[in-house]
Amino acid sequence: MSSPGGTAAVRDWTFVLYPEGRPTERESDAFDHAPELAGGAIGWEEDPRGVRFPCTVRAASAREAVLWAVDRLAAVGVPVSDVRMPLTTAFS
């Protein structure tokens, strides 16, 4: 996994990113074939309500982890509008 992490203590952060809209076929293909997403840190789930991207990213802070994942999705043309993280994750 090519997640961020510097000299500070790192941990796995678990959260879900929600796109601005349902990804297009082109964005879906880009997601499937992007080498920067091949590590498995960002997943793809669909249900009748839409698409979400469950993430587990190793980083020194929640902010760093979320920004890393948002940047990876933006690189394949999927803008993110919301992030959700369980409070137990954010404050543990």
Side-chain angles (χ1 to χ4, degrees), residues 3-5 10-12 27-28 30 32 35 39 49-50 53 56-58 62 64 68 72 74-75 82 85:
S3 302
V10 296
R11 59 171 275 197
D12 289 332
E27 292 166 344
S28 174
D32 289 341
R49 296 175 295 171
F53 300 97
T56 302
V57 177
R58 190 158 188 80
E64 190 176 314
W68 180 88
R72 294 307 175 281
D82 192 19
M85 178 181 291

Side-chain angles (χ1 to χ4, degrees), residues 3-36:
S3 302
T7 58
V10 296
R11 59 171 275 197
D12 289 332
W13 297 95
T14 302
F15 52 92
V16 179
L17 298 177
Y18 293 87
E20 289 180 359
R22 184 174 289 278
T24 65
E25 186 74 29
R26 182 187 60 76
E27 292 166 344
S28 174
D29 287 344
F31 179 93
D32 289 341
H33 297 96
E36 54 273 320

Side-chain angles (χ1 to χ4, degrees), residues 43-63:
W44 176 299
E45 293 180 353
E46 282 190 70
D47 65 24
R49 296 175 295 171
V51 174
R52 62 184 170 266
F53 300 97
C55 304
T56 302
V57 177
R58 190 158 188 80
S61 70
R63 180 181 186 278

